[in-house]
Amino acid sequence: MKRLIKLKQPVIVEGKYDKITLCNIIDAVIIPTNGFGIFKDKEKCAVIKALAQKNGVIVITDSDSAGALIRAHIKKIAGNAEIINVYVPRIGGKERRKTTPSREGILGVEGMTPEIIEKALFECGVFCEQTDSRRKITKADMFSFSLSGCKESAEKRKSFLRFINMPDNLSSSAMLDLLNGMFSYEEFKERAVKWQENTGKD
């Protein structure tokens, strides 16, 4: 089994390719902002705010002007919660999947080697440990508690989110990001069972 760097805080990145790169290096919840999409995505902002207030968040964006704007917006979302900014170096070049370089001609997070990303984490004071990949909460787990894929799932998600004192108007995908940022699978299962006992519903 692949050994990964375990981070207790969720990691915010710009795009899905950054997430793919980091998934091979770290064991953490990774949430892409979809670039400037974060400025209009109220649901994702609510998830980031809730996660930041619980454990803080780690932000890794490209070292260009767009990355700086996204960092500033995440700071605004998180308020007084702890943010650890991890900076990758400015390295000229382009990613393999792209036909032309970025506007500023530098590699983004997705173009960084594992060694560069690991060095950036340690230099920014992120405390890490080597670990086997942990059991993630999945949509199948949510389905087993009728929190997705069922006729009344939307209302049940709202009920469960209120039970754990979190924003209650989340889609199943947004809720999954939130749950993985807050709980282990065992912790989620324990709370879901208590929620069912409390509401008296299957």
Side-chain angles (χ1 to χ4, degrees):
M1 183 177 289
K2 182 178 176 62
R3 301 285 286 180
L4 302 173
I5 297 173
K6 182 175 179 59
L7 305 177
K8 70 176 183 178
Q9 302 96 335
V11 177
I12 314 299
V13 296
E14 290 186 49
K16 65 178 182 180
Y17 292 103
D18 298 331
K19 179 176 180 177
I20 290 169
T21 294
L22 289 178
C23 279
N24 292 313
I25 303 169
I26 64 174
D27 173 13
V29 174
I30 304 171
I31 301 176
T33 67
N34 298 321
F36 290 148
I38 191 65
F39 289 93
K40 295 182 179 180
D41 193 336
K42 294 182 179 179
E43 181 177 74
K44 186 159 290 186
C45 287
V47 170
I48 291 174
K49 181 177 181 179
L51 293 176
Q53 290 177 343
K54 179 174 176 62
N55 285 323
V57 292
I58 296 168
V59 180
I60 308 177
T61 63
D62 297 351
S63 295
D64 57 11
S65 56
L69 287 173
I70 291 169
R71 284 182 190 275
H73 190 65
I74 293 172
K75 179 176 176 60
K76 182 178 179 181
I77 293 168
N80 294 326
E82 180 184 19
I83 295 179
I84 299 175
N85 283 297
V86 174
Y87 297 94
V88 296
R90 288 179 66 91
I91 301 173
K94 71 175 183 65
E95 289 78 12
R96 289 183 180 180
R97 68 179 181 87
K98 295 180 179 178
T99 56
T100 58
S102 67
R103 185 168 61 179
E104 296 183 25
I106 63 173
L107 291 173
V109 171
E110 67 169 286
M112 299 291 155
T113 65
E115 292 75 20
I116 289 174
I117 291 174
E118 289 173 15
K119 185 172 184 289
L121 288 168
F122 286 112
E123 286 179 345
C124 291
V126 176
F127 295 98
C128 313
E129 61 179 300
Q130 295 293 320
T131 180
D132 294 322
S133 297
R134 70 183 175 96
R135 163 75 155 85
K136 302 282 189 183
I137 303 164
T138 66
K139 282 198 173 181
D141 298 324
M142 290 178 60
F143 178 79
S144 70
F145 289 99
S146 301
L147 295 169
S148 68
C150 303
K151 185 177 180 180
E152 298 180 355
S153 290
E155 285 303 313
K156 290 188 175 184
R157 282 196 300 274
K158 183 174 291 190
S159 172
F160 180 74
L161 287 164
R162 287 176 178 171
F163 182 75
I164 61 173
N165 298 314
M166 286 293 118
D168 65 5
N169 193 23
L170 300 180
S171 66
S172 58
S173 294
M175 181 172 172
L176 189 60
D177 282 339
L178 179 71
L179 292 175
N180 272 308
M182 296 186 67
F183 307 120
S184 66
Y185 166 73
E186 292 76 15
E187 290 169 337
F188 160 70
K189 185 176 180 181
E190 179 183 357
R191 283 164 175 78
V193 169
K194 287 182 179 179
W195 164 70
Q196 285 188 333
E197 293 172 348
N198 186 66
T199 58
K201 297 179 181 179
D202 297 327

